[in-house]
């Protein structure tokens, strides 16, 4: 079957991915956040930045390229929320950062949030979507190496 697809309900798939991340050393809360982002990304049509990346992240968790137990730190100073993600699982620490920025925005009219030392984020749409679902507006930009051929 050249184009065979396996259909799986989102909730069990999310749970399975979270279990795979925990088995690879990740903290349960981070594993659940990352799994939810990956499944949601796939459900929104981004096949290249969703669940297809699970094996890659499992391998990076196991070999230490991703910090399985990061010390996420956020500090609001000089009008900017600075988040150090300690090379954690990108989807989890980025979601923590966007939620910290949304919480800070309850106190200030607008919040600029800078994220550093973060693992791969995959598609960034789910972070803006999370903010929108919580009554916020988010504009996200990220630096990435050039990957397009000329």
């Amino acid at each position: 079957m050249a184009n065979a697809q396996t259909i799986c309900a989102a909730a069990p798939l999310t749970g399975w991915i979270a279990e795979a991340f925990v088995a690879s050393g990740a903290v349960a809360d981070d594993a659940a956040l990352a799994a939810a982002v990956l499944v949601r990304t796939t459900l929104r049509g981004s096949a290249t930045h969703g669940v297809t990346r699970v094996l890659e992240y499992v391998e990076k968790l196991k070999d230490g390229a991703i910090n399985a137990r990061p010390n996420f730190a956020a500090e609001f100073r000089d009008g900017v929320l600075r988040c150090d993600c300690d090379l954690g699982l990108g989807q989890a620490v980025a979601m923590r950062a966007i939620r910290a920025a949304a919480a800070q925005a309850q106190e200030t009219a607008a919040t600029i949030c800078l994220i550093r030392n973060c693992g791969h984020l995959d598609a960034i749409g789910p972070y803006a979507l999370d903010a929108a679902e919580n009554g916020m507006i988010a504009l996200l930009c990220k630096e990435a190496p050039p990957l397009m051929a000329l």
Side-chain angles (χ1 to χ4, degrees):
M1 297 166 86
N3 291 322
Q5 292 183 344
T6 300
I7 304 298
C8 180
L13 179 59
T14 302
W16 180 85
I17 293 169
E19 288 176 17
F21 288 160
V22 168
S24 303
V27 176
D29 289 345
D30 286 356
L33 276 173
V37 170
L38 291 172
V39 170
R40 189 163 201 189
T41 299
T42 298
L43 290 173
R44 293 186 57 80
S46 181
T48 59
H49 285 74
V51 298
T52 58
R53 300 253 177 168
V54 170
L55 181 58
E56 175 186 346
Y57 295 136
V58 163
E59 290 172 352
K60 288 183 178 198
L61 282 163
K62 286 182 176 181
D63 71 17
I66 294 174
N67 184 353
R69 300 185 176 278
N71 181 24
F72 176 83
E75 176 188 22
F76 187 70
R77 188 180 75 220
D78 303 324
V80 177
L81 180 66
R82 291 170 174 82
C83 298
D84 188 316
C85 298
D86 196 24
L87 298 177
L89 194 55
Q91 301 79 18
V93 292
M95 194 59 77
R96 291 191 191 290
I98 198 75
R99 290 177 179 171
Q104 181 62 48
Q106 297 292 327
E107 305 293 323
T108 58
T111 300
I112 296 170
C113 177
L114 301 176
I115 301 172
R116 62 183 220 125
N117 296 325
C118 184
H120 189 254
L121 299 178
D122 284 316
I124 61 173
Y127 311 107
L129 184 57
D130 187 78
E133 289 172 343
N134 289 292
M136 297 289 177
I137 297 171
L139 171 65
L140 293 100
C141 302
K142 71 177 185 179
E143 178 185 9
L147 298 174
M148 301 299 289
L150 299 177

